[in-house]
Amino acid sequence: MATIQDESSVHSMLGQRKFLLGVICTLAVCVAAGAGAKLLAGGSSGAFKADAINAGDTAWVLAASALVMIMTPAVGFFYGGMVRSKNVVSVIKQSMVILALVSIQWVLFGYSLAFGKDIGGGLLGGFGFFGLSGVGYAPNPDYAPTIPHLAFMIFQAMFAIITPALIIGAFVERIRFRTMVVFVLLWATLVYDPIAHWVWNPDGWLHKLGALDFAGGTVVHASSGFAALAAAIIVGKRIGFKRGEATEANNVPLTILGAALLWFGWFGFNAGSALAASPLAVSAFVVTNTAAAAAALTWMALSWIQNGRPSALATVTGAVCGLVAITPASGFVGPLSSIAIGVLGGLVTYLMLLFRSKRTQIDDTLDVWAAHGMGGVTGAILTGVFAEKVINGAGANGLLFGNPGQLLTQILAVLVTAGYSFVVTFLLLKLLSFMGLRVTDREEALGLDIAAHGEEGYRIVPREEMPEPDVPLQEPAPVVYSNPRKE
């Protein structure tokens, strides 16, 4: 008994020391932030001309930023409904932590690496915008001439946040939380920021080459989808994984809610990328909705044909795949083209899901590679087919409108971004193996909600554990129906 008490006392003392160390580190962060604020005083405001700011454009971009922000917890709901009930909290928790973590990374140096002045070869930005120094009220004409630079920054922050959140669907139910946190921070810095610089910075090499990506088909979806493929391979299969056996969703309504919120937020994702309350934003809004609808119906029809029933999960997953496919093209194509992109994007992603599950041993649990990786690749390539310069003068015509060279540029862009993301993610996770990529077999069997977070998603009391009622249950009296015609 004394030994047990001694061990408890030691654990308590160690816990107190860790807590004290945590408090000290937190205070150190506060001191460092305060010193930085003094050093960079005024860096996020600065002189500006009020008449250079368009209030309507600014209001729309801020609203769009909020719409994109809600997509990250929506990813948590979408994924959370599809995993087993013992892991639903862990998935939603991961998405919320990524929202917080990348928000800080983006303000400190992520935005500067992506959108700062190029430091050579169109590969990466410098640290000129470190801590948002120089990112103030005045517009930056290189990005958005009618809104504060800060508004553009926060809009782009939401893209940087949701991209690594998409990856977690590949290794849910088995990833070690601390490793996931370090991975996300490094991945955002080493993968997302450089690719965003290549495609969206005016000095980026793919941008100069003429690659079209209106809202993130390559930067967001191809990069996250192929990173998910690498992660699924390195982290490995779940215990009991069987090829061709689908994960049984624990809460279909939660997944439908997540998909609905994603569809809702995607209007900010795509139409917001016009960076103005303009006709181009209207066009992007319309084609976003149209492509999502086309892909939803495509997936529903394919699941109906394959399984004899029109699956609700397939329908909403198809809608998300359609949203992914239209993303790079949304600012360059018209409504009829968006139907074609939605149908083709839906078909490709459905077939890729079947290929992954039936023909490989890769446990990409929630098929991030099929939905986002191949959906993004399909949409980016089809942008090179359907793009019309008459819709967006800053773009280019595609194959159907007399410019076959644009299709080749799009193919190059997806090959480079997908390949870079896969290779760097593969190496990054290999490097992080020393931390332990997976939870223990016992923790995986128990479920990450309890094992990692000590919180349950659902408190359902088994029937045998229900308390006995105070009053014995009685069978209800039979109901006698009279015939009024006989009375």
Side-chain angles (χ1 to χ4, degrees), residues 8 47 50 94 100 102 128 130 183 185 196 248 257 269 294 296 318 380 393 417 442 476:
S8 177
Q94 288 168 14
V102 181
F130 180 82
F183 166 73
L185 181 59
E248 186 175 348
L257 172 64
F269 205 78
T417 54
R442 180 181 178 279

Side-chain angles (χ1 to χ4, degrees), residues 451-470:
H453 307 297
E455 298 164 311
E456 292 179 281
Y458 309 105
R459 290 185 176 273
I460 302 174
V461 181
R463 183 177 296 274
E464 59 271 15
E465 295 181 14
M466 292 179 65
E468 291 294 328
D470 295 333

Side-chain angles (χ1 to χ4, degrees), residues 144-399:
T146 63
I147 64 175
H149 195 176
L150 273 174
F152 175 80
M153 181 283 302
I154 196 62
F155 179 68
Q156 289 295 335
M158 301 309 166
F159 285 69
I161 290 164
I162 194 173
T163 306
L166 298 173
I167 301 171
I168 65 176
F171 47 53
V172 291
E173 302 191 326
R174 59 200 185 277
I175 191 71
R176 188 175 293 277
F177 182 75
R178 66 188 182 197
T179 308
M180 188 276 299
V181 170
V182 176
F183 166 73
V184 166
L185 181 59
L186 292 175
W187 192 90
T189 304
L190 300 176
V191 179
Y192 181 85
D193 295 343
I195 293 177
H197 184 84
W198 301 348
V199 177
W200 286 335
N201 192 303
D203 294 324
W205 73 276
L206 283 175
H207 186 91
K208 287 183 175 181
L209 199 62
L212 299 178
D213 187 354
F214 191 70
T218 52
V219 178
V220 175
H221 297 292
S223 68
S224 63
F226 280 82
L229 181 63
I233 293 170
I234 295 298
V235 175
K237 296 175 284 189
R238 290 164 294 166
I239 297 172
F241 169 80
K242 295 179 181 178
R243 189 175 71 180
E245 186 176 284
T247 301
E248 186 175 348
N250 84 88
N251 192 329
V252 174
L254 186 64
T255 295
I256 294 174
L257 172 64
L261 288 174
L262 284 170
W263 195 330
F264 175 69
W266 226 290
F267 294 124
F269 205 78
N270 289 357
S273 292
L275 300 172
S278 64
L280 183 59
V282 176
S283 177
F285 195 111
V286 171
V287 300
T288 296
N289 189 70
T290 305
L297 295 175
T298 299
W299 268 64
M300 184 186 74
L302 291 172
S303 72
W304 202 339
I305 294 168
Q306 183 185 15
N307 304 312
R309 296 175 181 175
S311 165
L313 278 178
T315 304
V316 297
T317 302
V320 172
C321 292
L323 291 164
V324 171
I326 195 60
T327 290
S330 55
F332 306 110
V333 303
L336 292 181
S337 295
S338 71
I339 294 176
I341 291 172
V343 171
L344 288 171
L347 177 62
V348 169
T349 51
Y350 194 94
L351 292 177
M352 290 300 99
L353 182 149
L354 291 178
F355 170 77
R356 196 279 310 164
S357 63
K358 305 288 187 183
R359 301 294 182 184
T360 77
Q361 288 288 345
I362 299 171
D363 185 12
D364 179 356
T365 312
L366 302 180
D367 283 294
V368 183
W369 171 74
H372 294 276
M374 294 309 299
V377 165
T378 301
I381 292 174
L382 292 178
T383 302
V385 175
F386 293 106
E388 299 180 57
K389 196 170 178 64
V390 70
I391 291 176
N392 186 345
N397 285 323
L399 175 66

Side-chain angles (χ1 to χ4, degrees), residues 425-473:
T425 303
F426 191 96
L427 296 175
L428 188 56
L429 287 170
K430 280 288 188 181
L431 179 65
L432 293 177
S433 295
F434 77 93
M435 295 182 62
L437 296 178
R438 300 178 61 117
V439 297
T440 64
D441 289 355
R442 180 181 178 279
E443 289 171 329
E444 185 176 342
L446 181 62
L448 300 190
D449 288 0
I450 294 296
H453 307 297
E455 298 164 311
E456 292 179 281
Y458 309 105
R459 290 185 176 273
I460 302 174
V461 181
R463 183 177 296 274
E464 59 271 15
E465 295 181 14
M466 292 179 65
E468 291 294 328
D470 295 333
V471 180
L473 295 176

